[in-house]
Amino acid sequence: MVFIGEWQGYYDAITLENDFLGKMGAVMTNTGQAVDCGYNTLPQASLRPHQITQGMTDVTIACSSVLVPGPNDYPLYYDSTNTMVLSAVATIDATPLPLGMVQPARVTVSPQSLHPLLNPGSATGY
């Protein structure tokens, strides 16, 4: 399963992502932030060896938040300073959830109500 989140300006991303990860049995969390914004190409030194990154020489991102991997999770790539995890593989629990635990949630938030200075139409967010 691949989960790609979106930044806070489009929906209550951090809360939703961490809730989803927790319900999947993952320990990894998203701490937020806006790192390497503006279409940055991260070099091979930022990549970590994994079957997903095999053959990659770099990765281009528009902006990312920071992940804190759990003890059994695996970072895929770090930011341009090589200090913050921006993408990772989380270990999950494949046991089905109880029927009452998963309830659809409707989140109605306009991007500008959360962060009035962010511009969703811009590659940098500003």
Side-chain angles (χ1 to χ4, degrees):
M1 173 186 313
V2 175
F3 179 84
I4 300 172
E6 189 53 81
W7 59 289
Q8 188 73 25
Y10 285 105
Y11 64 100
D12 193 14
I14 305 304
T15 303
L16 182 69
E17 290 172 24
N18 286 332
D19 181 58
F20 172 74
L21 288 167
K23 286 179 178 171
M24 293 300 294
V27 179
M28 182 168 58
T29 57
N30 182 337
T31 64
Q33 304 179 47
V35 176
D36 286 338
C37 296
Y39 288 114
N40 285 286
T41 299
L42 303 175
Q44 192 164 19
S46 292
L47 301 173
R48 297 301 180 263
H50 190 274
Q51 62 189 13
I52 293 173
T53 58
Q54 186 175 4
M56 292 176 64
T57 57
D58 57 37
V59 62
T60 301
I61 65 170
C63 199
S64 187
S65 54
V66 178
L67 299 174
V68 177
N72 296 316
D73 299 337
Y74 197 85
L76 294 175
Y77 59 83
Y78 282 70
D79 71 312
S80 58
T81 67
N82 229 351
T83 60
M84 296 178 278
V85 177
L86 303 183
S87 181
V89 175
T91 303
I92 63 168
D93 182 355
T95 306
L97 296 172
L99 289 176
M101 185 168 182
V102 179
Q103 298 175 11
R106 171 166 265 178
V107 178
T108 307
V109 178
S110 79
Q112 298 306 311
S113 67
L114 291 173
H115 297 282
L117 299 178
L118 292 180
N119 176 4
S122 167
T124 65
Y126 299 101

PDB file of all heavy atoms in Angstrom, residues 102-123:
ATOM      1  N   VAL A 102     -13.382   2.075  12.197  1.00  0.00           N
ATOM      2  CA  VAL A 102     -13.185   2.898  11.010  1.00  0.00           C
ATOM      3  C   VAL A 102     -14.501   3.560  10.650  1.00  0.00           C
ATOM      4  O   VAL A 102     -15.480   2.916  10.328  1.00  0.00           O
ATOM      5  CB  VAL A 102     -12.680   2.054   9.819  1.00  0.00           C
ATOM      6  CG1 VAL A 102     -12.499   2.920   8.602  1.00  0.00           C
ATOM      7  CG2 VAL A 102     -11.398   1.345  10.186  1.00  0.00           C
ATOM      8  N   GLN A 103     -14.512   4.862  10.746  1.00  0.00           N
ATOM      9  CA  GLN A 103     -15.706   5.620  10.411  1.00  0.00           C
ATOM     10  C   GLN A 103     -15.323   6.689   9.412  1.00  0.00           C
ATOM     11  O   GLN A 103     -14.285   7.327   9.555  1.00  0.00           O
ATOM     12  CB  GLN A 103     -16.301   6.272  11.656  1.00  0.00           C
ATOM     13  CG  GLN A 103     -16.733   5.263  12.697  1.00  0.00           C
ATOM     14  CD  GLN A 103     -17.193   5.948  13.968  1.00  0.00           C
ATOM     15  OE1 GLN A 103     -17.380   7.145  14.001  1.00  0.00           O
ATOM     16  NE2 GLN A 103     -17.349   5.180  15.017  1.00  0.00           N
ATOM     17  N   PRO A 104     -16.141   6.867   8.388  1.00  0.00           N
ATOM     18  CA  PRO A 104     -15.806   7.925   7.429  1.00  0.00           C
ATOM     19  C   PRO A 104     -15.816   9.286   8.104  1.00  0.00           C
ATOM     20  O   PRO A 104     -16.646   9.558   8.959  1.00  0.00           O
ATOM     21  CB  PRO A 104     -16.901   7.819   6.368  1.00  0.00           C
ATOM     22  CG  PRO A 104     -17.960   6.970   6.965  1.00  0.00           C
ATOM     23  CD  PRO A 104     -17.377   6.204   8.093  1.00  0.00           C
ATOM     24  N   ALA A 105     -14.875  10.087   7.721  1.00  0.00           N
ATOM     25  CA  ALA A 105     -14.796  11.438   8.273  1.00  0.00           C
ATOM     26  C   ALA A 105     -14.897  12.442   7.147  1.00  0.00           C
ATOM     27  O   ALA A 105     -14.328  12.255   6.086  1.00  0.00           O
ATOM     28  CB  ALA A 105     -13.483  11.621   9.021  1.00  0.00           C
ATOM     29  N   ARG A 106     -15.619  13.483   7.368  1.00  0.00           N
ATOM     30  CA  ARG A 106     -15.726  14.543   6.368  1.00  0.00           C
ATOM     31  C   ARG A 106     -15.027  15.766   6.944  1.00  0.00           C
ATOM     32  O   ARG A 106     -15.397  16.291   7.980  1.00  0.00           O
ATOM     33  CB  ARG A 106     -17.182  14.853   6.083  1.00  0.00           C
ATOM     34  CG  ARG A 106     -17.334  16.100   5.219  1.00  0.00           C
ATOM     35  CD  ARG A 106     -18.692  16.187   4.678  1.00  0.00           C
ATOM     36  NE  ARG A 106     -18.555  15.568   3.361  1.00  0.00           N
ATOM     37  CZ  ARG A 106     -19.539  15.393   2.527  1.00  0.00           C
ATOM     38  NH1 ARG A 106     -20.739  15.702   2.851  1.00  0.00           N
ATOM     39  NH2 ARG A 106     -19.343  14.871   1.362  1.00  0.00           N
ATOM     40  N   VAL A 107     -14.010  16.190   6.242  1.00  0.00           N
ATOM     41  CA  VAL A 107     -13.258  17.362   6.653  1.00  0.00           C
ATOM     42  C   VAL A 107     -13.446  18.410   5.570  1.00  0.00           C
ATOM     43  O   VAL A 107     -13.093  18.202   4.420  1.00  0.00           O
ATOM     44  CB  VAL A 107     -11.760  17.034   6.823  1.00  0.00           C
ATOM     45  CG1 VAL A 107     -10.986  18.274   7.209  1.00  0.00           C
ATOM     46  CG2 VAL A 107     -11.567  15.943   7.852  1.00  0.00           C
ATOM     47  N   THR A 108     -14.025  19.528   5.935  1.00  0.00           N
ATOM     48  CA  THR A 108     -14.226  20.617   4.983  1.00  0.00           C
ATOM     49  C   THR A 108     -13.428  21.815   5.456  1.00  0.00           C
ATOM     50  O   THR A 108     -13.796  22.456   6.427  1.00  0.00           O
ATOM     51  CB  THR A 108     -15.720  20.978   4.873  1.00  0.00           C
ATOM     52  OG1 THR A 108     -16.451  19.794   4.579  1.00  0.00           O
ATOM     53  CG2 THR A 108     -15.941  22.008   3.789  1.00  0.00           C
ATOM     54  N   VAL A 109     -12.324  22.037   4.788  1.00  0.00           N
ATOM     55  CA  VAL A 109     -11.437  23.124   5.164  1.00  0.00           C
ATOM     56  C   VAL A 109     -10.939  23.769   3.884  1.00  0.00           C
ATOM     57  O   VAL A 109     -10.524  23.088   2.957  1.00  0.00           O
ATOM     58  CB  VAL A 109     -10.235  22.596   5.972  1.00  0.00           C
ATOM     59  CG1 VAL A 109      -9.285  23.715   6.330  1.00  0.00           C
ATOM     60  CG2 VAL A 109     -10.689  21.869   7.218  1.00  0.00           C
ATOM     61  N   SER A 110     -10.971  25.074   3.823  1.00  0.00           N
ATOM     62  CA  SER A 110     -10.383  25.734   2.659  1.00  0.00           C
ATOM     63  C   SER A 110      -8.906  25.963   2.943  1.00  0.00           C
ATOM     64  O   SER A 110      -8.525  26.225   4.081  1.00  0.00           O
ATOM     65  CB  SER A 110     -11.083  27.063   2.380  1.00  0.00           C
ATOM     66  OG  SER A 110     -10.615  28.055   3.249  1.00  0.00           O
ATOM     67  N   PRO A 111      -8.053  25.850   1.942  1.00  0.00           N
ATOM     68  CA  PRO A 111      -6.620  26.021   2.160  1.00  0.00           C
ATOM     69  C   PRO A 111      -6.272  27.347   2.826  1.00  0.00           C
ATOM     70  O   PRO A 111      -5.424  27.395   3.688  1.00  0.00           O
ATOM     71  CB  PRO A 111      -6.027  25.951   0.754  1.00  0.00           C
ATOM     72  CG  PRO A 111      -7.034  25.226  -0.054  1.00  0.00           C
ATOM     73  CD  PRO A 111      -8.370  25.546   0.569  1.00  0.00           C
ATOM     74  N   GLN A 112      -6.935  28.395   2.436  1.00  0.00           N
ATOM     75  CA  GLN A 112      -6.577  29.705   2.958  1.00  0.00           C
ATOM     76  C   GLN A 112      -7.056  29.919   4.384  1.00  0.00           C
ATOM     77  O   GLN A 112      -6.538  30.781   5.085  1.00  0.00           O
ATOM     78  CB  GLN A 112      -7.101  30.802   2.041  1.00  0.00           C
ATOM     79  CG  GLN A 112      -6.510  30.731   0.636  1.00  0.00           C
ATOM     80  CD  GLN A 112      -4.994  30.712   0.650  1.00  0.00           C
ATOM     81  OE1 GLN A 112      -4.357  31.520   1.309  1.00  0.00           O
ATOM     82  NE2 GLN A 112      -4.387  29.779  -0.057  1.00  0.00           N
ATOM     83  N   SER A 113      -8.025  29.140   4.866  1.00  0.00           N
ATOM     84  CA  SER A 113      -8.481  29.327   6.243  1.00  0.00           C
ATOM     85  C   SER A 113      -7.451  28.810   7.237  1.00  0.00           C
ATOM     86  O   SER A 113      -7.360  29.302   8.351  1.00  0.00           O
ATOM     87  CB  SER A 113      -9.831  28.642   6.468  1.00  0.00           C
ATOM     88  OG  SER A 113      -9.692  27.240   6.389  1.00  0.00           O
ATOM     89  N   LEU A 114      -6.668  27.807   6.846  1.00  0.00           N
ATOM     90  CA  LEU A 114      -5.651  27.275   7.741  1.00  0.00           C
ATOM     91  C   LEU A 114      -4.364  28.090   7.708  1.00  0.00           C
ATOM     92  O   LEU A 114      -3.769  28.376   8.730  1.00  0.00           O
ATOM     93  CB  LEU A 114      -5.328  25.823   7.365  1.00  0.00           C
ATOM     94  CG  LEU A 114      -6.429  24.820   7.645  1.00  0.00           C
ATOM     95  CD1 LEU A 114      -6.046  23.461   7.082  1.00  0.00           C
ATOM     96  CD2 LEU A 114      -6.689  24.707   9.123  1.00  0.00           C
ATOM     97  N   HIS A 115      -3.935  28.411   6.525  1.00  0.00           N
ATOM     98  CA  HIS A 115      -2.682  29.141   6.347  1.00  0.00           C
ATOM     99  C   HIS A 115      -2.903  30.232   5.303  1.00  0.00           C
ATOM    100  O   HIS A 115      -2.672  30.010   4.119  1.00  0.00           O
ATOM    101  CB  HIS A 115      -1.567  28.192   5.885  1.00  0.00           C
ATOM    102  CG  HIS A 115      -1.239  27.132   6.883  1.00  0.00           C
ATOM    103  ND1 HIS A 115      -0.473  27.371   7.982  1.00  0.00           N
ATOM    104  CD2 HIS A 115      -1.600  25.826   6.955  1.00  0.00           C
ATOM    105  CE1 HIS A 115      -0.355  26.264   8.679  1.00  0.00           C
ATOM    106  NE2 HIS A 115      -1.036  25.318   8.088  1.00  0.00           N
ATOM    107  N   PRO A 116      -3.347  31.400   5.716  1.00  0.00           N
ATOM    108  CA  PRO A 116      -3.686  32.440   4.742  1.00  0.00           C
ATOM    109  C   PRO A 116      -2.526  32.879   3.863  1.00  0.00           C
ATOM    110  O   PRO A 116      -2.746  33.425   2.797  1.00  0.00           O
ATOM    111  CB  PRO A 116      -4.194  33.580   5.605  1.00  0.00           C
ATOM    112  CG  PRO A 116      -3.886  33.242   7.001  1.00  0.00           C
ATOM    113  CD  PRO A 116      -3.535  31.800   7.081  1.00  0.00           C
ATOM    114  N   LEU A 117      -1.288  32.622   4.272  1.00  0.00           N
ATOM    115  CA  LEU A 117      -0.155  33.068   3.464  1.00  0.00           C
ATOM    116  C   LEU A 117       0.296  32.020   2.444  1.00  0.00           C
ATOM    117  O   LEU A 117       1.139  32.301   1.606  1.00  0.00           O
ATOM    118  CB  LEU A 117       1.027  33.429   4.379  1.00  0.00           C
ATOM    119  CG  LEU A 117       0.737  34.567   5.373  1.00  0.00           C
ATOM    120  CD1 LEU A 117       1.963  34.799   6.244  1.00  0.00           C
ATOM    121  CD2 LEU A 117       0.346  35.836   4.633  1.00  0.00           C
ATOM    122  N   LEU A 118      -0.256  30.795   2.513  1.00  0.00           N
ATOM    123  CA  LEU A 118       0.128  29.756   1.567  1.00  0.00           C
ATOM    124  C   LEU A 118      -0.711  29.840   0.318  1.00  0.00           C
ATOM    125  O   LEU A 118      -1.889  30.143   0.357  1.00  0.00           O
ATOM    126  CB  LEU A 118      -0.021  28.366   2.200  1.00  0.00           C
ATOM    127  CG  LEU A 118       0.957  28.072   3.331  1.00  0.00           C
ATOM    128  CD1 LEU A 118       0.708  26.673   3.878  1.00  0.00           C
ATOM    129  CD2 LEU A 118       2.392  28.187   2.877  1.00  0.00           C
ATOM    130  N   ASN A 119      -0.095  29.570  -0.817  1.00  0.00           N
ATOM    131  CA  ASN A 119      -0.776  29.628  -2.104  1.00  0.00           C
ATOM    132  C   ASN A 119      -0.750  28.247  -2.736  1.00  0.00           C
ATOM    133  O   ASN A 119       0.276  27.810  -3.264  1.00  0.00           O
ATOM    134  CB  ASN A 119      -0.053  30.633  -2.998  1.00  0.00           C
ATOM    135  CG  ASN A 119      -0.648  30.689  -4.386  1.00  0.00           C
ATOM    136  OD1 ASN A 119      -1.652  30.034  -4.674  1.00  0.00           O
ATOM    137  ND2 ASN A 119      -0.030  31.450  -5.256  1.00  0.00           N
ATOM    138  N   PRO A 120      -1.885  27.494  -2.720  1.00  0.00           N
ATOM    139  CA  PRO A 120      -1.922  26.159  -3.285  1.00  0.00           C
ATOM    140  C   PRO A 120      -1.638  26.130  -4.782  1.00  0.00           C
ATOM    141  O   PRO A 120      -1.271  25.095  -5.322  1.00  0.00           O
ATOM    142  CB  PRO A 120      -3.334  25.675  -3.011  1.00  0.00           C
ATOM    143  CG  PRO A 120      -3.930  26.615  -2.064  1.00  0.00           C
ATOM    144  CD  PRO A 120      -3.138  27.888  -2.121  1.00  0.00           C
ATOM    145  N   GLY A 121      -1.783  27.237  -5.473  1.00  0.00           N
ATOM    146  CA  GLY A 121      -1.520  27.283  -6.904  1.00  0.00           C
ATOM    147  C   GLY A 121      -0.053  27.454  -7.249  1.00  0.00           C
ATOM    148  O   GLY A 121       0.343  27.380  -8.394  1.00  0.00           O
ATOM    149  N   SER A 122       0.786  27.663  -6.248  1.00  0.00           N
ATOM    150  CA  SER A 122       2.210  27.905  -6.467  1.00  0.00           C
ATOM    151  C   SER A 122       3.012  26.634  -6.184  1.00  0.00           C
ATOM    152  O   SER A 122       2.690  25.888  -5.258  1.00  0.00           O
ATOM    153  CB  SER A 122       2.690  29.014  -5.548  1.00  0.00           C
ATOM    154  OG  SER A 122       4.091  29.070  -5.517  1.00  0.00           O
ATOM    155  N   ALA A 123       4.049  26.387  -6.938  1.00  0.00           N
ATOM    156  CA  ALA A 123       4.908  25.228  -6.719  1.00  0.00           C
ATOM    157  C   ALA A 123       5.577  25.283  -5.370  1.00  0.00           C
ATOM    158  O   ALA A 123       5.882  24.255  -4.770  1.00  0.00           O
ATOM    159  CB  ALA A 123       5.955  25.150  -7.823  1.00  0.00           C
TER     160      ALA A 123
END
